[in-house]
Amino acid sequence: MPEALNYVWETPAEGVHRCRLPFLDVTVGLVRGSRATLLVDCGTTLREAAAVAADVEVLGGGAVTHLVMTHDHFDHVLGSAGFPGAELYGAPAVTAALSTGLDGVRAHAAEYGADPAELDLAIAAVRTPEHRVLDVDLDLGDRVVQVRHPGVGHTDHDLVVVVPPIAPDQRVVVFCGDLVEESGDPSITDQSDVASWPRTLDRLTELGGEDAVYVPGHGAMVDAGFVRRQRDWLHRHHTGGTP
């Protein structure tokens, strides 16, 4: 019998998977290539990271070789030590958060109810990105994945991951981080630039195209029409209209 998975993984395209972690419904993405295996974001705790790593093995990806962290919020980055063989990629702000800014990251996680003991374990082992990037192409063997910074929005350093198809009948998949959320309204914090966010979403849909699958940082997978509706919501929010 096949080995059981820890999480439920959806497959929007061949070799592309994503799960929704129970804590905060955060997305973790997986792209399997012929020579490399890419993970997008890594959860909050080492317990979550270990469960993801075990699932990747079952899904046929082997050990994770590349990890892209979309932005510096705790639920996307604190599991980084759970992938010791991976090369880590993130914006410079992610490196800052996971080094000099760890006290703030921990406090943010505690506000959302993360287990204090699990937080301490993750923070004690946390890894910072060796590759501080805003735009980079990652060759996984049979496809080249684009990591891009389409503009400011949820934070000033949001990265997205654009995954091209490997078969004509497959679709582009875009991992959006928290530039797009489906399970709630967009998360606006003191890091956010609501005025610029709609233009960033326009660039996001230009990167993916009309027929792409867009994978939010939280919630169900969506299409370009949903991204545009969220753009319009943000525009109304900024201008003082009724969202």
Side-chain angles (χ1 to χ4, degrees):
M1 293 181 61
E3 193 173 345
L5 293 166
N6 294 292
Y7 300 121
V8 175
W9 291 82
E10 299 169 277
T11 305
E14 183 178 348
V16 184
H17 311 274
R18 82 84 178 244
C19 71
R20 296 164 67 172
L21 299 181
F23 182 56
L24 301 181
D25 193 27
V26 65
T27 282
V28 170
L30 169 65
V31 185
R32 295 187 291 114
S34 60
R35 294 201 310 265
T37 299
L38 167 70
L39 203 69
V40 183
D41 288 331
C42 53
T44 304
T45 67
L46 295 180
R47 188 185 300 273
E48 287 179 332
V52 168
D55 282 358
V56 172
E57 294 277 357
V58 174
L59 291 167
V64 174
T65 59
H66 298 71
L67 168 60
V68 173
M69 291 179 272
T70 58
H71 62 293
D72 68 359
H73 290 166
F74 69 90
D75 48 332
H76 299 261
V77 298
L78 281 180
S80 62
F83 307 93
E87 295 184 47
L88 272 53
Y89 296 79
V94 173
T95 296
L98 295 180
S99 53
T100 58
L102 274 172
D103 286 347
V105 174
R106 190 191 190 286
H108 190 201
E111 287 175 10
Y112 278 83
D115 180 87
E118 294 283 348
L119 280 179
D120 289 341
L121 290 172
I123 287 171
V126 75
R127 294 180 59 205
T128 59
E130 303 101 315
H131 304 280
R132 291 173 287 279
V133 301
L134 292 178
D135 295 273
V136 67
D137 292 341
L138 300 177
D139 187 350
L140 306 185
D142 51 357
R143 63 176 132 208
V144 177
V145 170
Q146 297 177 330
V147 180
R148 296 290 184 264
H149 171 54
V152 299
H154 178 61
T155 70
D156 64 1
H157 60 274
D158 299 290
L159 300 183
V160 301
V161 179
V162 183
V163 184
I166 57 174
D169 60 341
Q170 299 288 310
R171 298 161 70 184
V172 173
V173 178
V174 182
F175 290 99
C176 306
D178 285 359
L179 283 172
V180 179
E181 295 201 32
E182 185 278 335
S183 52
D185 291 334
S187 176
I188 299 171
T189 73
D190 57 4
Q191 285 183 287
S192 302
D193 185 334
V194 181
S196 299
W197 199 336
R199 291 192 298 275
T200 298
L201 292 183
D202 283 336
R203 286 190 285 272
L204 177 66
T205 54
E206 289 171 6
L207 285 169
E210 187 63 28
D211 297 327
V213 178
Y214 293 88
V215 185
H218 304 263
M221 295 184 289
V222 300
D223 59 14
F226 179 94
V227 177
R228 285 193 293 272
R229 290 191 294 275
Q230 196 148 94
R231 173 203 63 192
D232 294 344
W233 186 98
L234 286 158
H235 178 71
R236 292 193 298 271
H237 186 93
H238 171 65
T239 58
T242 303

